[in-house]
Amino acid sequence: MTAIAADVVPRARLLATPAPRGEWLDLLQHDPEALPFQHPSWTDAAIAVSGGRDASRLYELPGGRHAVLPAVARPATRLPGGAFLALLSQPYGWGAGGLVAAGEQTDGDAAAVLADLVTLPALSLSVHPTPRRGRVWAGTAADGWVVSPHTAHVLDLAGGLETVWEQRFTSKTRRAIRKAEHAAVTIECDTTGRLVGEFDHLYRRSVERWAGQQHEPVWLAQVRARRRDPARKFATVAALLGDACRFWIARDGAEPVAGIVTLQLGEHVVYWRGAMDKDRATPVRANELLHRTAIEWAIADGARLYHLGDSAPGSGLARFKESLGAVPVAYGTLGHERLPLARADAALRGAVKRVLRFRD
């Protein structure tokens, strides 16, 4: 990628920070690609669980349009001289940020915002754009920005459930769903937070399984999971997002064996978290039935895309998503630092992983 010199890029003009909630919500309604992670209630949840303060920014872009950059500043209080350690759009573990604006966004819009962000008194800046807009950001990063590659998967819901079933699900996935139905697996959905406890129990079980797959001590995996996804995170998201957050639990008989969490904003439904008791969920193909049910609901509710999140290309998780008809979308996250904190952190993490013989 050829970097653009910061001094030749027009800066977006800051109008207000934090962004006024009314205008932010209005822009969300007119942005065809906005995801739930860009809603102000999501920022509120991130702050309530992980700390920081609302540092969203309302901009006037070079062409005159208004846009909001959802963001969280850490720490919550400013340091001497008005500085702060980090401005994150959005924080790690809290999904995508990037601009919310009516209509299509251009590389000039992204470049203008990046040119403004580098003037802030922050040691660290990061922008995690929505995957389908990643190309707008990754190709316009000015000097000093580092782009890290990612791959997300997105399922097109056009044509309705019959088209998705016949043309996008693989034959293996269709057989798995029929097997789950034959095994009388039942699916329960809740938007009140009532199923948070059952989902969290499955999630902690999954953390133990992931630790074994990654050659990681269980205690370390549990510490990392409690830091990234504490139990109160699920409860907080459920409370603040209301009907836009759905917990789905698959039961074999009366026992919960697998669960997923989906989020909705407009025509987008996002698969946010998943968990299972593998020994019980896999034989009855509970995960495939969970996603088919969530996809069916998404289509009935007018969604046009079902987002399945990031995964490593070629991994088992990526293959599972592709079996549902999702296609990979390559994009990049952007980071900018005044001190090499990320590099030092990456080096330390790499050393620990080598000692543990950790497998990502």
Side-chain angles (χ1 to χ4, degrees), residues 33-49:
E33 291 293 330
L35 296 184
F37 307 126
Q38 296 172 294
H39 194 281
S41 293
W42 188 259
T43 294
D44 292 341
I47 291 169
V49 175

Side-chain angles (χ1 to χ4, degrees), residues 1-2 16 77 79 100 103 127 140 146 182 187 220 229 236 250 262 275 283-284 301 303 312 315 323 336 353 355-356:
M1 181 195 73
T2 302
T77 56
L79 302 175
V100 177
V127 178
T140 59
V146 175
H182 183 73
I187 306 296
L220 180 58
D229 292 323
T236 300
T262 61
V284 297
D301 211 40
S315 66
S323 76
H336 185 284
K353 287 182 177 182
V355 170
L356 297 174

